[in-house]
Amino acid sequence: MPITRQDREILRLAVPAFGALVAEPLFLLADYAIVGHGLGTTAVGALGVAGAVLATLVNLCVFLAYGTTASVARQTGAGNHDRAMRSGVDGIWLALAIGAALIAVCWPLAPAIVDLFGAGPEQAEQAVTYLRISLLGAPGMLVVLAGTGVLRGLQDTVTPLAVAVGSFVLNAVLNAWFVLGLGWGIAGSAWGTVLAQTLGAAVYVIVVVRAARRLRTSLRPDPAGVKQAGTASFALLIRTICLRIVLLVATVIATRMGQAELAAYAIATQVWTMLAFALDAIAIAGQAITGRALGAGDVAATRAATRRMVVWGGWSGVVLGLAVLAVRPLLPGLFDADPHVAAQLLAVLWPVALFQPICGVVFVLDGVLIGAGDQRYLAWAGVWTTLAYLPAALVAAGFGIVALWCALGVWMVARLITLGRRAVGTTWLVTGA
């Protein structure tokens, strides 16, 4: 496949985004590896439960990144640079407000939230400890989302890469020191992640403040702008809620299968998440390119870029699926899994690998439609695909963890159908600022 000018533009945005996105799930993968070696299977399961809760909270707010990327990119394409930066500043203030609200609401409810997963007493206690400490990093996590969205909208994916890599290295060092060196247990893992995320957020704030001053954009919170940033992304929030319902249902089912099944599912989920973020790199390019092209009124360029990115997404999925199969025998040892956990993990990695080509196309189409601002359709598509998944998950509950992962495959196929049907039409091709 010859590399065209369009390919170079996609790769210019996607390659740095790939590194930044892969670094995000590596936060938890590093936690799993360190906790698995230092604290054992029970702690790994507790981390899986707390990690699912945190991932839900953060992903419910992913509109801070996705919505900001689309808004800033469209305004940039239309030549409205001050309005683009104003959208980014409003997004950061919104992130801080939501982060503070999450701490206030979820801290006292942490035991009740963990109980919903049906974990045993020892696992539940450790999960609550990890969750409560990690909530202190919520404002930082959300500022990172909003700051990342601003820079992606400005067609800059290199700075997010640098911040993500630095945060990952710091997170791994702090976790190893706190857990293995100081013996703080699972609390040490949580504190290491909180510190790394907060410092990463501080870097984004500095970068955005400097850019805003160059454009003479006010840094003060604009209540109307912050409110608009929240309400404009309501449909995107519905889409995200549907995604999290699917993954939470799967986690609850895996928890009730037993400790070994939960540990294997938790590790496989982190592997799948890492692959999803890797594939999402092209989707991030799709958000930025689509928003900019439609803002500039160029429908033909939007169509051409979409077709090319779908090709890249499909082949990337093939490569990553083969990579999973290649490293599959090594993964249980990486997490110091006991024989039962290792057997479950080795089995479930087969469907994880086989569904990657479908995932590659789905994520690209999702990113393109987000960049186009087609949130309302994405919300409805999320509802219908979730309804397709739930019966398959309930059936899978009686057949083991491999069947559960095949139910997730049914969900991905449903997403491919709904997003593909939309992409071939013209309704989403709305131009202008």
Side-chain angles (χ1 to χ4, degrees), residues 329-342:
L330 305 176
L331 287 176
L334 177 63
F335 297 96
D336 199 26
D338 63 39
H340 192 185
V341 174

Side-chain angles (χ1 to χ4, degrees), residues 162-253:
V163 176
V165 171
S167 298
F168 166 70
V169 172
L170 181 60
N171 175 69
V173 171
L174 291 176
N175 280 350
W177 181 27
F178 292 161
V179 175
L180 303 178
L182 299 181
W184 287 3
I186 201 167
S189 178
W191 279 117
T193 301
V194 166
L195 291 174
Q197 289 166 335
T198 303
L199 288 173
V203 173
Y204 275 111
V205 169
I206 292 170
V207 171
V208 172
V209 166
R210 288 178 176 175
R213 284 177 175 170
R214 284 196 301 270
L215 293 170
R216 297 183 179 179
T217 303
S218 174
L219 295 171
R220 294 179 180 179
D222 176 11
V226 173
K227 181 180 178 181
Q228 182 180 2
T231 56
S233 298
F234 179 75
L236 200 55
L237 175 63
I238 298 299
R239 161 205 171 268
T240 306
I241 289 173
C242 291
L243 298 181
R244 296 315 304 175
I245 287 174
V246 168
L247 299 179
L248 278 174
V249 167
T251 302
V252 170
I253 292 174

Side-chain angles (χ1 to χ4, degrees), residues 109-172:
L109 294 177
I113 293 171
V114 170
D115 283 344
L116 293 175
F117 290 84
E122 188 178 355
Q123 274 187 336
E125 181 181 358
Q126 294 191 54
V128 169
T129 297
Y130 189 93
L131 177 58
R132 278 183 162 165
I133 295 172
S134 295
L135 284 170
L136 299 177
M141 287 188 289
L142 300 189
V143 167
V144 167
L145 287 177
T148 301
V150 175
L151 297 182
R152 288 173 180 166
L154 296 173
Q155 316 295 297
D156 176 9
T157 56
V158 175
T159 302
L161 170 61
V163 176
V165 171
S167 298
F168 166 70
V169 172
L170 181 60
N171 175 69

